[in-house]
Amino acid sequence: MTETSCITEDRIQIALGLVGWSSVMVLSALTMATGLGATPLDQLGLRPSGSGLWSWLYHYFVDSVGVGGYDAIQGALAPPLRLKIHVAGVFLLWASVVYFSDRPYGDCVFSLPSSIWWSGLQSLCLYILYFFVLNHLMDGVSMPGGPRASKIQRQPIWDDRLTALNEADKEKWKCMVAEESHKDTEARFPGKKLSGEPSGRQIWSSATTSDSDHHREELIQEMARGGRPYSGFNPSKNPNSCDMIFRAQQIRKYLRIEGNVPPSATPAKTIQDCTRKAAHFYSMLQSDDGHWAADYGGPHFLQPGLIIAWYIMDQPSSFLNKDQIKLLKHYILVHQQCDGGWGTHIESPSTMFGSTLMYVAMRLMGVPKDDPASVRGRNFLKENGGALYTSSWSKFYLCLLGLMDWRGHNSVPPEMWLLPNWFPFHPGRMWCHARMVYLPMGYLYGSRFVYKDAETDATIQSLRSEIYCENYAYISWVKTRHWVSPLDDYSPIPLVMKTIQNLLACYENWGIFQPFKNFVREKGIIFSLDYMHAEDNQTNYIDIGPVNKVLNMVSHYHATGNDLNDPAVVRHMMRVHDYLWIAEDGMKMQGYNGSQCWDTSFCAQALFEANLLDEFPDVSRKIWKYLERTQILSTEVSKSSPAYKYETNEYRNKFYRHISEGGWPFSTSAHGWPISDCTSEGLKAVLCLKHTKCIQVGLKDKSLVGISEERLHKAINVLLTYQNEDGGWATYENNRGWGWYEQLNPSEVFGDIMIDYSYVECSMATLTALVDFKETYPHHRPNDIQQSINNGRSFLKSVQREDGSWYGSWACCFTYGTFFGIEGLVKCGEPLDSPAIVRACKFLLQHQRQNGGWGEDFTSCYDKDYAKLGMKRYGDEGSGVVNTAWALLALSIAKYDDVDAIRRGVQYLMKRQLPHGDWPQEGISGVFNRSVGITYTAYRNVFPIWALGRCYATFGEVLNEKSE
């Protein structure tokens, strides 16, 4: 044997030995993760102190914090097991270095130490360098990126046509809240009771008598229509509702009791008068239980899903009655665009996603095939290739209806849930909204559910010819799985995901895999149903959102043999109305069961900074009562609900559920899902209220129920456990996955939905809540809180863009994100002259418009680039009151020295205020999943009050002077 061949053989032997050691370490770590799991269970979801693996490892042993195996709540192995995986990685790299090196080695690792150990040291240094670059020199996974190369090019266009609900339809509907809403629902379902805290619940029900006040109705309508010169709906002027029907109802009710309205004869002359008038107006809209109700609609793919579920469940009137169907149909008709299509949301140009679903829903509700709206809608579909080119979520609904063969939809295997929890791509690691949608999708796909009358239903048979360009009977379904229109393709499916989907298609259809598939599929379906049952009970059958609400309901309907009287199916139907809202554009399905706690918490803080809480004591007391009852699993009523059973560590571990008790929700306590920023804003609102005289008196005389320190401590515990390893905070849970998960995003229409990223908004909200709490209660976990604040402050800096801005992921967009970024840094103690804050303020001033305001529209979110024309379509010369308020909130907390710019912004808000204290409803404010807009009608009131109050508190009377 030659010398060269000996050296090569030696290298191979040593490399194989190192690979063997690496494999042993990985297998032992994963075996321990499986065997130990989440033991001890009382440590579930708890991360040791520190900000990196070495500090976590130290505190893991010293403080005995954290599970011994795999923590499904954190999506992480215990620190010792993570260290093992890293050591295995070093050994694997070492093996590569040895194999590809040309230096001679002996026949074992220890025979030539000077060579082998030197290569080992090189490998360790390379490994450390790699992670240093990854963690410190590259953007983190939570950096949103942008601008996008492919920007939105089209604009929605509607006929210039005013439509209005007839007076009889408007007068018959009443928004009921809290206990009254429970009584109404229980009357419609005799013998059945709703579970969960009623506070905050809002539904629309047919009233037996009209509550119109004809004596002052003209004034009421003028105040309710938000400055618009008409009382109906004209999307060509603005496709956003301004909540006229609800606001008219609340103003009417207020005038019967109080009788006085804000003075309207002359505009407010000072900031104080402006904020006082605005607060007076907004107080008129407060619900009896203390929250503010509002339109939270906007997306166009939610309502069709509900209608499809109603149709395949035999159209029960207890689900949707004829009056509701009439208004749901009206909504679809008035939002149809000139090209015949519908957008993904109200400000979106027509897409195949929105158009296919809205067209089908319209036809299912009885709009004839030859109706002009149907003809226009059908033409749009066929001009864009037909329903074979709609996106995957739309295709899923078509499969349920029997309008598409399941072979035309990519696999959603429910057996994925049977994988070990530590598996790198386990569905339990996904962002909860995506996870809870694909859960029932997997059940229904695995069960191959199809509407039982699809082959005999005349409407379904007709639709099969209406929505396709091809003959339905001859479509080669398997070949169409990846077809999607460019109109829908916001997040093109990566090659790796297409490859996996093609392999899954073989798995679904090839006979060789069927015995295994059938065995594991049955078990996956059973687990999926069990998990849906847990989700239903944890949320009192509201569910986390409207999509999984509908699909969970259909799944239970199927599982019970299409039994409408099954208790689970009935409980689902009892909660359908929680998602429905009526405005001047008809009835819609909202993006949640409302934004009650979110809007109310903001309002409390706005009134506090404007020094108005004690000036409106009744308003303040009602807010307190609402927030006290809305803290999750913290009242006797909520603890007596089925949800409380699932708060045990055993259930949380089984169903991947973060701790809930002590948090605050986006909407209602009964909804049951706490969120980091909602918990934070709720906590900050409570702390603000505790400083007011009217609340202190009420707590002292027992007219108000107190919120104990123990309850506040539980809120802090929720917030501290939410913090991610990067120092930031995500939404509902810790980030349990990795950035490469987006390579497996199957949705086409949504961006960044696969994991729960850390966001500037959630991080700022949590940081400021921790700071406020620490100031009020300095002795509770001071070290943990301070370390959390330090880590969070670093995160905020890490996601700031080069131009000084932050991208807003949950509203439009850079003014919003930058407001959160600046406020978070300032409250954490960042010096006002720090480069991060100065750059951010300069960014805002660069985008101040000539009229003194700021403005963006939805394209900022979609394109990840500041809208160059501002809010041109639905604002005022490119400016908008909400964006202006966000910018002013940021500049004032930074005490920025360009007082004239701030004064111009303040005067812009004052100029835009309507005579009775409202502000106009302009463009859409909210966004989610990068590509979908959503309505917050409360923002036009809350944020201007807040901005004006803060600006005056910061700069004083100088702002009342006229700009030069």
Side-chain angles (χ1 to χ4, degrees):
M1 184 180 295
T2 67
E3 183 179 352
T4 302
S5 63
C6 288
I7 293 172
T8 302
E9 186 176 336
D10 291 343
R11 284 206 312 266
I12 293 173
Q13 288 179 355
I14 294 172
L16 287 175
L18 291 168
V19 169
W21 278 106
S22 176
S23 301
V24 167
M25 281 185 278
V26 170
L27 288 173
S28 67
L30 296 181
T31 301
M32 291 179 69
T34 304
L36 293 174
T39 55
L41 269 175
D42 64 352
Q43 296 297 305
L44 184 69
L46 302 182
R47 182 180 289 118
S49 298
S51 58
L53 180 57
W54 292 111
S55 57
W56 294 328
L57 190 67
Y58 172 80
H59 288 285
Y60 173 83
F61 288 111
V62 172
D63 303 332
S64 298
V65 174
V67 303
Y70 177 80
D71 192 323
I73 304 306
Q74 292 182 32
L77 296 167
L81 303 186
R82 295 174 73 171
L83 182 61
K84 264 193 172 184
I85 297 293
H86 282 296
V87 172
V90 173
F91 270 60
L92 196 59
L93 181 59
W94 192 0
S96 301
V97 170
V98 168
Y99 181 79
F100 291 107
S101 172
D102 58 0
R103 287 199 307 270
Y105 296 105
D107 59 0
C108 74
V109 169
F110 303 102
S111 63
L112 289 173
S114 61
S115 298
I116 191 68
W117 295 115
W118 175 248
S119 64
L121 183 60
Q122 285 180 311
S123 302
L124 178 61
C125 291
L126 283 172
Y127 195 82
I128 293 172
L129 178 63
Y130 168 76
F131 278 95
F132 177 82
V133 171
L134 187 69
N135 293 323
H136 298 284
L137 302 182
M138 296 179 65
D139 288 338
V141 69
S142 294
M143 187 69 178
R148 280 171 56 89
S150 177
K151 296 185 179 180
I152 195 166
Q153 301 294 328
R154 301 174 300 124
Q155 292 285 346
I157 302 173
W158 294 269
D159 294 326
D160 187 356
R161 181 169 60 99
L162 179 66
T163 60
L165 300 174
N166 64 53
E167 290 303 316
D169 281 336
K170 287 195 290 187
E171 290 182 5
K172 78 178 352 175
W173 291 98
K174 177 185 178 184
C175 183
M176 298 181 175
V177 302
E179 285 82 358
E180 184 185 20
S181 76
H182 272 220
K183 291 176 182 177
D184 182 81
T185 299
E186 289 165 0
R188 290 187 293 106
F189 292 88
K192 305 296 182 182
K193 294 289 184 182
L194 287 170
S195 62
E197 181 67 62
S199 184
R201 186 176 188 241
Q202 53 194 36
I203 65 168
W204 288 86
S205 182
S206 298
T208 54
T209 58
S210 168
D211 78 341
S212 291
D213 185 345
H214 296 288
H215 173 63
R216 308 180 77 178
E217 196 62 26
E218 186 175 342
L219 171 64
I220 291 167
Q221 294 301 325
E222 178 191 343
M223 296 174 70
R225 56 177 186 252
R228 293 184 181 174
Y230 50 84
S231 291
F233 181 70
N234 186 345
S236 72
K237 306 300 183 187
N238 193 328
N240 296 271
S241 95
C242 64
D243 243 355
M244 295 182 195
I245 296 175
F246 172 74
R247 290 186 170 216
Q249 174 185 298
Q250 293 301 103
I251 294 168
R252 202 176 288 125
K253 185 190 298 184
Y254 178 90
L255 291 180
R256 286 205 193 99
I257 299 170
E258 300 292 336
N260 64 318
V261 298
S264 61
T266 58
K269 301 295 185 184
T270 66
I271 296 172
Q272 305 94 303
D273 290 342
C274 185
T275 52
R276 188 170 289 109
K277 181 190 284 191
H280 186 175
F281 174 84
Y282 198 51
S283 73
M284 301 168 75
L285 308 181
Q286 189 177 26
S287 297
D288 293 340
D289 68 346
H291 83 276
W292 275 268
D295 185 347
Y296 190 60
H300 280 163
F301 57 90
L302 306 176
Q303 184 167 321
L306 183 73
I307 294 161
I308 288 168
W310 165 78
Y311 197 85
I312 61 184
M313 290 172 66
D314 288 335
Q315 308 103 58
S317 60
S318 55
F319 186 151
L320 293 173
N321 61 41
K322 60 181 179 59
D323 292 327
Q324 291 168 319
I325 292 295
K326 181 180 179 181
L327 293 188
L328 289 164
K329 192 189 307 179
H330 178 87
Y331 177 87
I332 292 177
L333 292 172
V334 300
H335 280 279
Q336 188 175 29
Q337 297 182 22
C338 290
D339 59 11
W342 290 264
T344 299
H345 59 91
I346 55 177
E347 287 190 16
S348 162
S350 295
T351 60
M352 288 297 287
F353 183 31
S355 299
T356 302
L357 288 174
M358 293 287 262
Y359 179 86
V360 169
M362 179 176 70
R363 291 280 288 114
L364 295 179
M365 290 190 292
V367 176
K369 175 183 177 180
D370 57 357
D371 186 274
S374 299
V375 173
R376 293 166 64 198
R378 191 160 59 249
N379 288 342
F380 176 84
L381 294 180
K382 296 199 172 183
E383 286 167 5
N384 288 280
L388 291 176
Y389 287 89
T390 191
S391 56
S392 61
W393 282 29
S394 180
K395 288 178 178 178
F396 190 89
Y397 283 114
L398 297 181
C399 290
L400 296 181
L401 272 169
L403 290 176
M404 178 175 281
D405 191 286
W406 277 111
R407 290 172 296 169
H409 194 283
N410 281 305
S411 176
V412 190
E415 51 268 34
M416 286 284 290
W417 291 102
L418 305 180
L419 292 167
N421 283 338
W422 50 257
F423 191 76
F425 185 73
H426 188 285
R429 293 177 178 269
M430 293 170 64
W431 180 43
C432 56
H433 270 286
R435 179 172 83 238
M436 302 315 293
V437 166
Y438 283 103
L439 171 68
M441 278 187 173
Y443 172 88
L444 293 166
Y445 177 87
S447 303
R448 292 299 195 276
F449 175 90
V450 177
Y451 170 42
K452 61 183 175 61
D453 296 327
E455 299 305 319
T456 57
D457 187 297
T459 302
I460 299 298
Q461 293 301 307
S462 179
L463 280 168
R464 286 181 175 180
S465 65
E466 295 173 36
I467 64 175
Y468 296 106
C469 299
E470 303 83 357
N471 185 315
Y472 185 85
Y474 296 102
I475 296 174
S476 180
W477 295 106
V478 173
K479 295 180 180 178
T480 70
R481 289 179 298 109
H482 296 308
W483 293 6
V484 61
S485 167
L487 305 181
D488 287 0
D489 210 13
Y490 181 79
S491 293
I493 303 234
L495 178 61
V496 63
M497 186 56 179
K498 285 188 177 179
T499 303
I500 291 171
Q501 288 175 333
N502 289 335
L503 292 173
L504 285 172
C506 298
Y507 168 74
E508 295 289 346
N509 297 306
W510 289 8
I512 190 173
F513 297 115
Q514 299 315 296
F516 172 78
K517 186 193 80 175
N518 293 338
F519 175 75
V520 295
R521 179 144 296 174
E522 181 181 359
K523 294 181 182 300
I525 285 173
I526 290 171
F527 178 82
S528 297
L529 197 62
D530 193 23
Y531 193 176
M532 283 186 278
H533 180 70
E535 158 74 353
D536 295 337
N537 278 289
Q538 285 170 318
T539 63
N540 298 285
Y541 284 83
I542 298 169
D543 295 321
I544 194 172
V547 178
N548 85 313
K549 163 66 183 174
V550 165
L551 295 179
N552 279 20
M553 179 164 51
V554 174
S555 298
H556 284 299
Y557 175 71
H558 170 263
T560 58
N562 302 342
D563 182 4
L564 284 172
N565 296 313
D566 178 83
V569 177
V570 172
R571 290 191 183 100
H572 263 298
M573 291 194 292
M574 292 175 76
R575 286 293 190 177
V576 165
H577 291 193
D578 293 48
Y579 282 96
L580 301 179
W581 189 260
I582 296 176
E584 60 267 27
D585 53 351
M587 178 175 278
K588 65 200 74 175
M589 191 178 201
Q590 301 183 105
Y592 221 71
N593 64 321
S595 55
Q596 299 92 311
C597 189
W598 183 246
D599 294 338
T600 304
S601 298
F602 276 152
C603 183
Q605 295 174 73
L607 294 176
F608 177 76
E609 291 209 42
N611 198 28
L612 291 172
L613 282 173
D614 276 321
E615 197 165 323
F616 293 86
D618 291 340
V619 170
S620 300
R621 282 190 285 265
K622 288 165 71 174
I623 294 174
W624 177 274
K625 290 177 182 178
Y626 169 74
L627 290 174
E628 187 277 322
R629 294 183 66 182
T630 303
Q631 191 177 15
I632 295 172
L633 299 178
S634 300
T635 64
E636 288 186 13
V637 172
S638 60
K639 287 185 177 183
S640 67
S641 72
Y644 198 57
K645 164 188 170 183
Y646 289 89
E647 188 66 3
T648 64
N649 288 329
E650 289 83 0
Y651 277 115
R652 292 201 304 111
N653 183 53
K654 181 177 181 180
F655 298 120
Y656 313 98
R657 184 68 180 248
H658 199 95
I659 191 170
S660 300
E661 185 178 1
W664 269 276
F666 184 72
S667 56
T668 63
S669 170
H671 180 276
W673 279 86
I675 312 176
S676 62
D677 52 357
C678 300
T679 298
S680 301
E681 302 301 346
L683 176 59
K684 287 190 289 182
V686 167
L687 294 176
C688 287
L689 288 162
K690 286 173 75 72
H691 290 299
T692 62
K693 182 179 178 181
C694 61
I695 299 303
Q696 292 168 359
V697 169
L699 293 174
K700 186 175 181 179
D701 66 17
K702 308 295 185 183
S703 60
L704 295 175
V705 176
I707 299 176
S708 66
E709 284 192 27
E710 181 186 4
R711 285 173 61 172
L712 298 182
H713 294 171
K714 288 182 177 180
I716 290 297
N717 182 55
V718 170
L719 295 180
L720 291 175
T721 58
Y722 268 140
Q723 191 167 29
N724 282 328
E725 291 186 7
D726 62 8
W729 280 263
T731 56
Y732 297 82
E733 298 167 337
N734 299 118
N735 175 13
R736 301 169 181 172
W738 294 274
W740 57 261
Y741 272 39
E742 291 305 328
Q743 294 297 306
L744 305 178
N745 179 354
S747 71
E748 299 122 351
V749 293
F750 307 124
D752 299 337
I753 64 167
M754 297 300 287
I755 59 175
D756 208 347
Y757 297 90
S758 295
Y759 296 99
V760 62
E761 299 99 311
C762 297
S763 300
M764 171 279 218
T766 308
L767 285 168
T768 52
L770 292 174
V771 169
D772 288 354
F773 177 85
K774 188 169 180 283
E775 290 175 356
T776 309
Y777 300 97
H779 302 298
H780 180 71
R781 300 180 67 177
N783 295 334
D784 291 340
I785 290 174
Q786 188 57 54
Q787 181 175 333
S788 182
I789 291 170
N790 294 340
N791 292 343
R793 178 175 168 182
S794 297
F795 169 78
L796 289 182
K797 291 181 180 180
S798 74
V799 292
Q800 186 178 21
R801 289 162 55 122
E802 287 297 321
D803 62 6
S805 70
W806 281 267
Y807 176 85
S809 296
W810 302 104
C812 301
C813 171
F814 293 98
T815 45
Y816 185 71
T818 304
F819 152 47
F820 276 83
I822 291 176
E823 178 150 345
L825 288 179
V826 171
K827 291 292 286 286
C828 287
E830 185 78 6
L832 298 183
D833 60 354
S834 79
I837 293 177
V838 172
R839 280 193 298 126
C841 291
K842 286 182 177 179
F843 169 86
L844 290 174
L845 292 181
Q846 286 167 6
H847 290 90
Q848 187 173 23
R849 302 188 71 83
Q850 192 171 4
N851 60 11
W854 282 262
E856 295 178 82
D857 63 14
F858 172 75
T859 62
S860 282
C861 311
Y862 189 99
D863 296 338
K864 297 186 178 180
D865 195 13
Y866 200 99
K868 291 180 175 56
L869 299 178
M871 193 184 287
K872 180 181 178 181
R873 295 197 73 177
Y874 310 119
D876 170 48
E877 298 177 347
S879 294
V881 295
V882 177
N883 291 120
T884 301
W886 290 333
L888 289 173
L889 283 163
L891 292 169
S892 55
I893 199 166
K895 297 182 173 62
Y896 200 67
D897 57 9
D898 192 341
V899 178
D900 187 61
I902 295 168
R903 184 191 296 112
R904 290 172 58 226
V906 165
Q907 291 176 358
Y908 174 79
L909 286 183
M910 294 175 67
K911 180 190 75 172
R912 292 286 284 162
Q913 188 177 40
L914 299 171
H916 290 286
D918 195 6
W919 274 275
Q921 178 65 47
E922 297 169 329
I924 205 161
S925 297
V927 67
F928 62 93
N929 299 349
R930 311 296 191 214
S931 61
V932 186
I934 196 160
T935 301
Y936 288 89
T937 54
Y939 279 13
R940 75 183 200 247
N941 301 102
V942 171
F943 284 107
I945 293 172
W946 199 344
L948 292 172
R950 177 179 290 179
C951 285
Y952 183 76
T954 303
F955 297 101
E957 284 295 326
V958 68
L959 296 183
N960 281 322
E961 300 171 5
K962 290 192 175 182
S963 296
E964 296 179 4

